[in-house]
Amino acid sequence: MQLSDSFYKSRKLVDLVENQTSYILEDSAMHIFETHSRAEMVQLQFTTPVLASMFRGKKVMHLRDKPSFEFLPGESLILPANELMSIDFPEAQEDNPTRCLAMEIGEERLRSVIRLMNECMTRPDGNEWNILDYNFHFTNDQSIYQILQRLVYLYTENHPAKDSFVSNMIQELIIRILQVDTRKTFQTKTKELASDYRLAYVVQYIRDNICNPLTIKELSKEACMSESHFYKVFKQEMGISPTDFINEERIQKATQLLANPMYNLKEVFLACGFTNRSYFNRMFKRIKGINPSKYRNRFA
């Protein structure tokens, strides 16, 4: 993720550890933290819910009721208000700083977006959308990455309509994060939910048939829905189209097979349901940011 020129012009480096540059708006704030020296157990706390997202380097996070974990570029973390973080910076250097943003979003702002979702985006399982109340750690998809990149630009520019621009982007960000949370729930608890939730059943069906051709017609039949209704419900609930979800599942399976030298690349892409290598290469690079051969070299 790129920081704008206006950020570098306005920020002042005062501290080597968690140097903070802040941009405060009416119902939100963005803080960009830079660490230029290795450090351990640095404590940080916010009085409002926070979205933290890594730009560069590595942190090791120590949170209440959660095992310690690495926090890496391309990942985000939702933290409830008053969550005390203890952070290690094992790789930070003066010429290679660790960078992270933390975005505070007011609770009333969160509630207003969730009320809107419950009015306009009714869930097929009858449940309501709710505020995340736990430490949710996830990998940014392309849509969330682009929103965060845009927000960094908006917060750091000097524009009279900045508050309005940011407010609209935050609304989209909250919706997409809640969809990611739903998607992750269906992915990690598929078997437990499959008997009660049609989309969880479809996710399990996709996984069981990942090496075979899969169509919207086939999946909508399994979900007992029309094709148009299935597509709409799936995208609304999961945040991505069925086709994109199938490709993500196939690439996830491919990463597991690529770690095993027993499989050559042709065996890998065929086992994951791809019919030609060029399309497999394109999807792998789009989702993982690296081609399959380079990914495999990590395990050599």
Side-chain angles (χ1 to χ4, degrees), residues 251-265 268 284 292 295-300:
I251 295 305
Q252 182 59 36
K253 181 177 176 64
T255 60
Q256 298 166 7
L257 296 179
L258 286 169
N260 188 336
M262 291 180 60
Y263 299 99
N264 62 43
L265 282 175
V268 169
F284 196 99
Y295 184 89
R296 162 158 276 179
N297 287 342
R298 294 177 176 179
F299 303 97

Side-chain angles (χ1 to χ4, degrees), residues 60-290:
V60 178
M61 306 293 293
H62 309 277
L63 303 175
R64 169 177 51 92
D65 301 329
K66 188 177 178 72
S68 299
F69 62 94
E70 292 185 348
F71 193 23
L72 303 171
E75 297 178 351
S76 291
L77 179 65
I78 304 294
L79 296 161
N82 301 310
E83 175 75 20
L84 181 64
M85 298 171 268
S86 293
I87 310 168
D88 300 339
F89 300 86
E91 298 178 353
Q93 299 176 12
E94 188 172 353
D95 60 349
N96 186 30
T98 297
R99 289 198 177 106
C100 175
L101 72 78
M103 193 161 68
E104 295 185 78
I105 303 173
E107 296 226 19
E108 182 50 41
R109 177 63 173 145
L110 286 170
R111 291 193 187 97
S112 68
V113 175
I114 290 170
R115 282 196 296 268
L116 178 66
M117 291 177 72
N118 283 320
E119 291 170 5
C120 304
M121 298 174 60
T122 305
R123 297 179 62 168
D125 58 15
N127 293 328
E128 290 195 334
W129 299 98
N130 286 299
I131 296 176
L132 298 172
D133 58 357
Y134 56 91
N135 296 319
F136 177 41
H137 179 208
F138 63 96
T139 300
N140 301 331
D141 61 21
Q142 190 65 22
S143 60
I144 290 176
Y145 171 84
Q146 290 173 346
I147 293 171
L148 291 174
Q149 184 69 76
R150 179 66 177 162
L151 281 169
V152 168
Y153 174 80
L154 290 174
Y155 273 101
T156 56
E157 80 163 340
N158 185 19
H159 194 287
K162 181 193 292 189
D163 280 88
S164 297
F165 294 158
V166 168
S167 180
N168 290 333
M169 295 302 296
I170 285 177
Q171 177 172 302
E172 182 179 353
L173 179 64
I174 294 169
I175 291 171
R176 289 192 181 273
I177 288 174
L178 287 170
Q179 289 174 324
V180 168
D181 176 44
T182 299
R183 190 158 78 237
K184 192 168 184 178
T185 298
F186 281 141
Q187 288 173 317
T188 57
K189 299 181 179 179
T190 305
K191 291 184 178 179
E192 301 97 303
L193 297 173
S195 60
D196 296 319
Y197 295 95
R198 281 184 285 179
L199 288 187
Y201 174 78
V202 170
V203 169
Q204 187 61 49
Y205 182 85
I206 290 170
R207 288 179 172 168
D208 291 342
N209 296 276
I210 201 69
C211 62
N212 301 319
L214 291 166
T215 65
I216 301 298
K217 182 177 181 179
E218 178 183 357
L219 297 179
S220 61
K221 184 177 179 181
E222 293 295 326
C224 301
M225 300 178 186
S226 69
E227 291 181 46
S228 59
H229 185 57
F230 168 73
Y231 187 93
K232 178 182 177 181
V233 167
F234 193 100
K235 191 165 186 179
Q236 178 176 293
E237 191 85 354
M238 307 286 271
I240 59 175
S241 71
T243 301
D244 287 340
F245 180 81
I246 290 167
N247 282 329
E248 285 193 358
E249 288 291 305
R250 285 178 169 158
I251 295 305
Q252 182 59 36
K253 181 177 176 64
T255 60
Q256 298 166 7
L257 296 179
L258 286 169
N260 188 336
M262 291 180 60
Y263 299 99
N264 62 43
L265 282 175
K266 184 176 181 179
E267 289 172 326
V268 169
F269 75 72
L270 289 175
C272 298
F274 293 99
T275 56
N276 68 79
R277 182 168 173 176
S278 61
Y279 184 67
F280 168 63
N281 287 347
R282 191 160 69 250
M283 287 297 103
F284 196 99
K285 188 167 185 178
R286 192 184 82 177
I287 293 170
K288 292 297 181 181
I290 187 174

